[in-house]
């Protein structure tokens, strides 16, 4: 059974930083495209960043480019999202996602996502 468990969310002031973690079990993150999505209140869930199976291709949404960094620790089977220079508009629930090439229903940056974590809240105050 695939489990993705996010942690690291919280409340920060604008300009601050947070590091989100996504620990996977029942799934090997090094062999798949992994991503982060977010959903702000009253809005649809949108993709934030992805890292390809080999790690050679990394993609960021324009809204976070230059501020967020996605990375992966294969030994820990964990994916990270370092978020710097946070803005109030970054406030959202952040979800970790793993590729499901057969049944995934969410496409982002060429990856088909079908496994999701429970989400972690990030709140940025001005």
């Amino acid at each position: 059974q695939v489990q993705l468990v996010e942690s690291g969310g919280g409340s920060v002031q604008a300009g601050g930083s947070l590091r989100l973690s996504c620990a996977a079990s029942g799934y090997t993150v090094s062999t798949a495209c992994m991503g982060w999505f977010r959903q702000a209140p009253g809005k649809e869930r949108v993709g934030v960043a992805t890292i390809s199976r080999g790690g050679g291709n990394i993609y960021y949404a324009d809204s976070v480019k230059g501020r967020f960094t996605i990375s992966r620790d294969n030994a820990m089977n964990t994916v990270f999202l370092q978020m710097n220079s946070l803005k109030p508009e970054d406030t959202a629930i952040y979800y970790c996602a793993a590729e499901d090439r057969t049944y995934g229903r969410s496409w982002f940056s060429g990856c088909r996502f079908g496994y999701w974590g429970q989400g972690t809240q990030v709140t940025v105050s001005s």
Side-chain angles (χ1 to χ4, degrees):
Q1 182 178 359
V2 177
Q3 277 196 313
L4 304 173
V5 180
E6 301 101 334
S7 60
S11 297
V12 295
Q13 289 192 325
S17 298
L18 285 173
R19 188 193 195 204
L20 306 184
S21 299
C22 171
S25 59
Y27 194 95
T28 304
V29 301
S30 63
T31 62
C33 184
M34 300 293 297
W36 287 93
F37 289 70
R38 68 185 182 186
Q39 186 168 19
K43 296 187 177 181
E44 293 186 351
R45 186 170 59 189
V46 296
V48 173
T50 60
I51 183 167
S52 63
R53 299 181 194 104
N57 290 318
I58 290 177
Y59 178 85
Y60 297 100
D62 287 343
S63 58
V64 306
K65 202 171 294 183
R67 300 186 298 121
F68 290 13
T69 303
I70 188 171
S71 62
R72 180 170 55 202
D73 185 322
N74 294 336
M76 295 177 63
N77 208 32
T78 299
V79 178
F80 302 96
L81 185 67
Q82 177 67 44
M83 306 186 295
N84 298 328
S85 301
L86 283 162
K87 303 176 181 180
E89 51 263 43
D90 294 319
T91 294
I93 299 174
Y94 283 71
Y95 297 92
C96 175
E99 189 175 26
D100 181 346
R101 299 169 209 169
T102 303
Y103 300 108
R105 299 177 63 181
S106 294
W107 290 87
F108 180 63
S109 183
C111 297
R112 185 177 187 179
F113 294 100
Y115 300 106
W116 300 90
Q118 82 287 352
T120 186
Q121 176 70 47
V122 172
T123 303
V124 185
S125 59
S126 57

